[in-house]
Amino acid sequence: MEPKAVFFLSIFLFSLGLYGVLSRRNALGILISLELIFNSANLNFGLFSFAWGEPSGVLTILFGISITALEVVVGFSIIILLFRLRRTSNADEIEILKG
Amino acid sequence: MKLIFFLILVLTALSGLMTVLTKDLFRSALYLGLTLFGTGLLYLFMGYDFVGWTQILVYVGGVVLLMIFTIMLAKESIMRPLENTVRNPFTTGLFALIIFLLLLLIGKTFYFVPVGLEKDVTFLPSLIFQSKYLIPFEILSILLLVAFMGAILLSKRE
């Protein structure tokens, strides 16, 4: 168990997620990349909990997992709704809020 | 054991890379499942049994399954798969690289002494039920209920 290596993995996953969120055009793809960011944050909580002997980080992972499940459920239902309305899941073409 | 650990690390990093690089969204979701599974295994390596299995059950079993269902529902037709084109890959890639290097620089200042905790199944129940975290935990369950009801209401056909 090498904490440093896990930390590198965590920031690597965060950068990948950032790249995905910024570069993907599809709303589903953006949400998938967002999951990577959440996952890396959770991994960091667990890692620092392990490295510094602080048990509340583990609890934060549980909270994070639940919140992420919520976010995915609501986000995907909104995307399905938009898909039914506009027949597209491309984030550039969805401009209902534009005045 | 060390070899298995580094194997899991490399596997997780590679599948995370494939998640953002694959054109096909369906495969992207499957690679995401592999990444989350690898992270769950890392939790197991740290000694967090409950959190690790929760991660595998909830994420890989629930969230990725939901994603795959959504992608299948939103697929326009078999002939015309979902386009998943990338916008400004070089600019955004450079930006992500800069953020990565910055985080690397910050990470150099941390000290990592693996103190380690006892197995989380021994301290999690007391941490939740005998401390100030009980109220947030209960509020979280209400939030889950409300969000699931809202999602059903949103995606229900009239």
Side-chain angles (χ1 to χ4, degrees):
Chain A
M1 185 63 214
E2 300 267 338
K4 206 102 188 175
V6 179
F7 181 75
F8 288 154
L9 174 73
S10 160
I11 60 175
F12 182 62
L13 287 181
F14 178 82
S15 314
L16 284 179
L18 195 66
Y19 169 71
V21 167
L22 289 176
S23 68
R24 290 247 145 147
R25 280 183 194 276
N26 199 312
L28 289 163
I30 292 174
L31 266 180
I32 287 177
S33 309
L34 211 58
E35 283 309 298
L36 274 182
I37 295 184
F38 278 120
N39 186 49
S40 85
N42 277 344
L43 184 60
N44 241 352
F45 271 119
L47 172 70
F48 280 93
S49 185
F50 176 79
W52 292 348
E54 169 63 44
S56 57
V58 185
L59 195 67
T60 317
I61 301 177
L62 280 184
F63 277 71
I65 289 175
S66 319
I67 299 282
T68 313
L70 286 184
E71 174 257 331
V72 166
V73 166
V74 175
F76 275 51
S77 67
I78 288 173
I79 288 176
I80 284 191
L81 204 66
L82 277 174
F83 194 81
R84 210 176 279 153
L85 207 65
R86 305 291 293 260
R87 304 302 301 167
T88 180
S89 61
N90 194 340
D92 291 341
E93 293 174 30
I94 298 165
E95 57 214 351
I96 305 170
L97 281 181
K98 204 183 257 181
Chain B
M1 211 60 184
K2 215 173 173 75
L3 185 71
I4 296 172
F5 170 72
F6 276 103
L7 218 64
I8 290 170
L9 222 63
V10 170
L11 185 81
T12 312
L14 278 183
S15 53
L17 195 65
M18 290 305 287
T19 307
V20 285
L21 291 186
T22 327
K23 283 270 177 286
D24 189 9
L25 262 183
F26 187 77
R27 283 188 190 166
S28 185
L30 290 182
Y31 278 122
L32 177 73
L34 200 60
T35 315
L36 299 172
F37 186 73
T39 315
L41 290 182
L42 286 178
Y43 290 147
L44 294 183
F45 262 94
M46 293 178 201
Y48 305 148
D49 290 352
F50 182 74
V51 169
W53 290 113
T54 307
Q55 163 104 358
I56 291 171
L57 280 175
V58 173
Y59 259 128
V60 185
V63 170
V64 173
L65 196 77
L66 193 75
M67 282 176 178
I68 288 172
F69 265 124
T70 315
I71 289 166
M72 282 173 160
L73 274 178
K75 213 162 192 162
E76 279 147 280
S77 72
I78 301 163
M79 304 299 288
R80 190 182 152 214
L82 283 170
E83 77 250 42
N84 192 26
T85 45
V86 175
R87 142 183 64 193
N88 305 332
F90 294 109
T91 325
T92 47
L94 192 69
F95 182 65
L97 191 70
I98 289 170
I99 295 286
F100 178 72
L101 292 176
L102 272 178
L103 286 173
L104 212 64
L105 214 64
I106 294 168
K108 269 190 187 311
T109 61
F110 291 145
Y111 63 96
F112 290 100
V113 190
V115 179
L117 302 160
E118 66 264 49
K119 295 267 180 193
D120 65 347
V121 280
T122 56
F123 70 79
L124 258 186
S126 63
L127 194 64
I128 292 171
F129 294 116
Q130 291 164 16
S131 75
K132 59 190 176 205
Y133 297 113
L134 180 61
I135 303 275
F137 198 73
E138 293 298 327
I139 290 174
L140 190 66
S141 63
I142 296 170
L143 190 67
L144 267 169
L145 184 70
V146 171
F148 286 143
M149 276 160 53
I152 292 169
L153 203 68
L154 269 181
S155 54
K156 195 181 67 173
R157 216 179 273 274
E158 292 301 319

